[in-house]
Amino acid sequence: VQLQASGGGLVQAGGSLRLSCAASGRTISTYRMGWFRQAPGREREFVAAVSRAADYAYYTDSARGRFTISRDDAKNTVYLQMNSLKPEDTAVYFCAADPGGSGHSGRVRSYDYWGQGTLVTVSS
């Protein structure tokens, strides 16, 4: 499966962005999907994940209450709605797919497929 992330850009603190992750090659309806981010000089970190049936979602503490992950399996797409953005949210955001869905949702190694990343820059 190939993943294409989009929707990043430059936004002022307090603003919003909606990231999209379009999948191709096969359906992602049976995959757990996640978003991660990587700031310059830092390791890639978990942001959010949604289960294959969208019956639950996980968030890192910094994202909970501000970000919302969702999926539209008919469009083979996953979204990350980001509100109340802060300068510390600045990073390259990656979407990822986990076919098995049994590993820890917050671990990079749980995901087999990765998109190329989209840059989010939040100015103060």
Side-chain angles (χ1 to χ4, degrees):
V1 59
Q2 292 78 46
L3 303 175
Q4 180 75 36
S6 62
L10 174 63
V11 63
Q12 289 188 334
S16 298
L17 281 175
R18 187 194 196 199
L19 306 183
S20 298
C21 175
S24 60
R26 63 181 303 168
T27 179
I28 58 170
S29 61
T30 60
Y31 291 8
R32 178 170 59 190
M33 300 297 295
W35 284 97
F36 289 73
R37 67 186 181 187
Q38 188 166 17
R42 301 188 65 176
E43 292 186 352
R44 192 167 299 188
E45 64 177 8
F46 171 72
V47 176
V50 61
S51 64
R52 60 187 68 185
D55 48 1
Y56 61 83
Y58 293 124
Y59 298 93
T60 190
D61 287 345
S62 63
R64 190 175 296 111
R66 299 188 299 127
F67 295 2
T68 303
I69 187 171
S70 62
R71 63 190 301 157
D72 185 341
D73 289 336
K75 295 182 178 180
N76 226 27
T77 301
V78 178
Y79 304 98
L80 185 68
Q81 177 67 43
M82 306 187 295
N83 299 327
S84 302
L85 283 162
K86 305 175 182 179
E88 51 264 43
D89 294 318
T90 295
V92 177
Y93 283 70
F94 299 88
C95 60
D98 171 16
S102 60
H104 191 292
S105 61
R107 292 179 179 162
V108 170
R109 65 186 183 191
S110 294
Y111 296 82
D112 293 341
Y113 304 101
W114 292 83
Q116 86 292 355
T118 184
L119 176 63
V120 172
T121 304
V122 184
S123 63
S124 57

